[in-house]
Structure formats: C-alpha cells, structure tokens
Amino acid sequence: MAPTPPAGTPDQVRTWWAGLGDEERRHYVEDMPAAIGGLDGVPSLARHYANTRLLDAYIERTGDLDAVRLREEFRASGGLLLLFVPPSTVGGTDTRVAISYNDPDHAVATSVLVPGTATNTRSPKYLNHALDFVRRLRDRADSYTDLGDNAAVFWLGYKSPDLLVPDAMSARYARDGHAALTSFLGGLRAANVRGEQRGPTTLIGYSYGSTVVGHAAAAADLTKVVDTVLIAGSPGLGRHIRSVEDLGFTPDRFLVAASPIDPVVRTPSFVHGTNPAHPSFRATLVETGTIGHLGYGTEGTPAFLNAVYIVTGDLDRVTKVPAARAAGTQVARLGDWFGSRVGRRSDPEQATAADAGARPRPPGRGAHRPRGRSGRPRL
C-alpha cells in the first residue's frame, strides 16, 4: 500500500512526483484519487484522471444532475478537470471545480479566471457564462498571436457568494478562499515543464472573484507565481487594500477593466475598499467600451480584445484609458448602486448589451492533449 502523498509546497510536491515510477503514479491516480486530484504541484493530466474518477464515483453514488452537467461540459470541450470537490449536500452550491482548456503544463501562456457571485454548478447561467469566457479567451489567444499553445483555466476553488445581498457584501468568501487560489497558482507554476522558457501567467479576477484575488495578493507574494493581473467588473479588492503597492505589483502589471455603465464597479468603498479603477489606486485602466457587467468577455469589445492581449503578454497592444479621462473616475453613491435591490433576491450580474462594433475574428483551435510515443496520454 503506497503511503499518503506528503504535505508540502507545490515545488516539493512536484519533486516528490518526479521521483515516482510509472506504476507508483498510476497507483496513486487509480487507488487514491482524492489525495491526488487536488494536490497542487502534481502534473495536470494526472490530476485530470484522478478528478475524473472522483466525479464518476460521485455521480454513480448520488445521481447528482449538477455533476452530470459538469461532466458533460468538460468531456464535450476536451477540458482537463484539475479540481473536483463534491458539494457538502447533493444540489449544494459549494462544489469546488477547476477546468483547464489545453494542458497548462505545456502551455506557453496561461490565464486563470476567478469568477464571482452566483457562479456555481447549481446555476448554469453564470457557470456557462464564465466557462464560455475562458474557452474563447484560449481560442483567441491562439488565433491572435504566434505564441503557440495557450491554456485558459476556470478556477472555482472557493465557495462563491450565492446572492448579491447580503452574501456578496461580505469579505468572508474571499478570506476563506484566497489561500487555495495562491496554492493552485503555485501548483501551475511548479508543474509547467517549460521552466524559464514559459510565457506569462495572467490572473483574472472577475466581479467578486477580484475580491478573492485582492485578498490573495495582500496575504502572499503573488508576483512569484503570476506575471500580470487583470481585474474586471470589480466591487473592490478588500477594505485593507488601498493601492497596487499594497499588493506588490507595479501599475503596468496590474490592469483594471471597469465599464462606465457597470453598476458593480460603483460599489461604495465601505463594502470592499477603494475602487481599483480610481486614480488613487494607481493601477493601469484599460478601455472596455460601453458594456454591462456580463460584457467583459463579449466578442468585438475593447474589453475582450484587451484581455486577449494581456494574457498573451502583448501589453504594448492594450488600449489604455487616457490619463485625463481616468482622473475623472468617480465612485458612485450608495443609492446609485443599491437602488431597490436591498432585501430581495436580485440578479447579481445585471448587464446591458455591448455597443462596441464587432469585427470578424479568426476561428479558435480545438483543444488537444499531449501524448507519449505509445499514443497513451502521459501522466
């Protein structure tokens, strides 16, 4: 019987895994999937096979339709299941899941999206929106650049707020989830076989996901595992965070997308701190076009095109908000944002249609998985 995998940093886990033989690795994946599937530093394909076994066993045991839809999603898209922790109760909203489109261990550039309020396996609307954003980000990154393989990861390794009010008003979800994000990012860095030849890693915090990113960056040095941060549609990163200097990043590596008609970016500062789009925060503000809260991933908008350039490291191609206009950024008053929402279940992702002109884009590539000489997927 193989021993329980050792605890340690992602780099230590990667060293441990590299020292195992093929049969030992197969034993851990097949017989101890719960110990391997969420172990940061283990190669992505091994995690995928382990988590697939966990998901299949959970579905067989419970018949959970939410889990069935999740399995259909990554099977149809060719995604890699990098994390699966079932909900505390069947039909619950606290499933932990991460899906990568393309193998991040061999990717030239990698992006990781942390989604926000009401994103869970129980609510297909927001889950599908986030997954679609990530898939197209991968496709367009490959199409627009000559980098080669890009990987885009959807990371829901934290319990997201269920409701805008009162859940998303609390920092509790960010406080509880940020350490898992930091460890996951370290695992991606440790498992990437390109080493110093790899391209950039971009962390994208969307909506309340940006609050998780803020707490993670304030608590640990994310510059060791992330090259660039993109914040989109943020309600604030944390009341203890006042500027990019509090997070260890330089302004040119910490970019913020905040549409002028997105109500979430008008969240009062007493909720989640200084608006990261405000000049006092000293981040780089990028053009978005006139889009609602769901519009940051809309094809044809400056917001989406800038996201593509950011994740591929083409920062000189990003269109930035002129300094004079950025200086006029204001934080809206409480009533401008809450309106009549208080005390009722409301749509946390209210959006208006994007009005930026769309233009044709090259089609994205299909996902693939690296294989060994025998044709068998490598662990």
Side-chain angles (χ1 to χ4, degrees), residues 123-141:
S123 305
K125 176 180 179 180
Y126 301 116
L127 178 66
N128 292 341
H129 171 264
L131 290 173
D132 178 66
F133 186 0
V134 173
R135 282 193 301 268
R136 288 186 297 100
L137 195 60
R138 185 281 315 272
D139 289 345
R140 299 307 180 256

Side-chain angles (χ1 to χ4, degrees), residues 172-195:
R172 173 170 61 89
Y173 303 91
R175 288 195 302 266
D176 292 347
H178 72 78
L181 174 61
T182 300
S183 180
F184 180 81
L185 294 168
L188 291 182
R189 179 65 60 101
N192 190 288
V193 300
R194 292 181 180 270

Side-chain angles (χ1 to χ4, degrees), residues 210 231 234-237 254 256 265 273-279 281-285:
S210 70
I231 299 299
S234 176
L237 308 184
F254 200 96
V256 175
V265 305
T274 302
N275 181 347
H278 195 277
F281 200 84
R282 294 191 286 280
T284 298
L285 201 59

Side-chain angles (χ1 to χ4, degrees), residues 8-360:
T9 66
D11 286 327
Q12 291 170 332
V13 169
R14 183 68 182 98
T15 299
W16 165 76
W17 184 264
L20 299 177
D22 289 344
E23 289 306 314
E24 290 176 299
R25 294 174 184 172
R26 197 168 305 283
H27 170 73
Y28 276 112
V29 169
E30 294 179 355
D31 299 334
M32 304 179 68
I36 295 299
L39 191 56
D40 298 319
V42 170
S44 295
L45 282 176
R47 292 183 67 161
H48 169 73
Y49 295 134
N51 285 309
T52 299
R53 291 178 70 86
L54 291 173
L55 178 59
D56 288 343
Y58 172 72
I59 291 173
E60 184 177 353
R61 184 173 70 253
T62 67
D64 189 338
L65 294 181
D66 298 335
V68 172
R69 285 195 297 267
L70 176 65
R71 183 170 63 182
E72 292 172 349
E73 154 57 33
F74 77 79
R75 282 182 173 178
S77 63
L80 298 179
L81 189 62
L82 301 187
L83 179 68
F84 175 70
V85 179
S88 54
T89 59
V90 174
T93 60
D94 57 344
T95 301
R96 309 297 204 272
V97 61
I99 299 175
S100 179
Y101 299 97
N102 282 357
D103 183 356
D105 297 355
H106 296 81
V108 176
T110 301
S111 58
V112 178
L113 174 74
V114 183
T117 300
T119 305
N120 55 66
T121 57
R122 186 66 176 165
S123 305
K125 176 180 179 180
Y126 301 116
L127 178 66
N128 292 341
H129 171 264
L131 290 173
D132 178 66
F133 186 0
V134 173
R135 282 193 301 268
R136 288 186 297 100
L137 195 60
R138 185 281 315 272
D139 289 345
R140 299 307 180 256
D142 282 353
S143 298
Y144 293 177
T145 72
D146 296 325
L147 282 176
D149 290 340
N150 293 270
V153 181
F154 166 85
W155 184 84
L156 186 62
Y158 83 108
K159 170 66 181 79
S160 67
D162 288 330
L163 300 173
L164 181 64
V165 179
D167 299 347
M169 302 296 102
S170 170
R172 173 170 61 89
Y173 303 91
R175 288 195 302 266
D176 292 347
H178 72 78
L181 174 61
T182 300
S183 180
F184 180 81
L185 294 168
L188 291 182
R189 179 65 60 101
N192 190 288
V193 300
R194 292 181 180 270
E196 296 300 321
Q197 302 303 313
R198 61 171 179 74
T201 297
T202 302
L203 178 59
I204 305 173
Y206 196 167
S207 193
Y208 190 93
S210 70
T211 312
V212 180
V213 169
H215 279 68
D221 185 3
L222 288 191
T223 62
K224 294 180 179 179
V225 293
V226 169
D227 299 286
T228 308
V229 173
L230 171 61
I231 299 299
S234 176
L237 308 184
R239 286 187 293 178
H240 56 308
I241 301 168
R242 296 184 178 181
S243 72
V244 292
E245 286 80 5
D246 293 334
L247 305 178
F249 285 88
T250 56
D252 62 316
R253 294 289 175 175
F254 200 96
L255 302 101
V256 175
S259 169
I261 65 168
D262 178 358
V264 174
V265 305
R266 302 175 183 175
T267 303
S269 60
F270 67 79
V271 179
H272 291 301
T274 302
N275 181 347
H278 195 277
S280 65
F281 200 84
R282 294 191 286 280
T284 298
L285 201 59
V286 303
E287 292 282 7
T288 63
T290 307
I291 55 175
H293 190 58
L294 286 182
Y296 294 91
T298 301
E299 294 281 352
T301 63
F304 183 65
L305 188 57
N306 280 330
V308 172
Y309 290 144
I310 290 168
V311 303
T312 56
D314 295 321
L315 298 182
D316 59 332
R317 303 177 75 178
V318 173
T319 55
K320 303 176 179 65
V321 174
R325 180 150 57 90
T329 302
Q330 299 294 322
V331 180
R333 296 172 299 174
L334 178 63
D336 295 332
W337 185 65
F338 276 105
S340 61
R341 299 172 184 234
V342 177
R344 64 182 175 87
R345 178 183 292 266
S346 57
D347 185 343
E349 309 286 0
Q350 291 284 341
T352 58
D355 65 1
R359 52 182 177 176

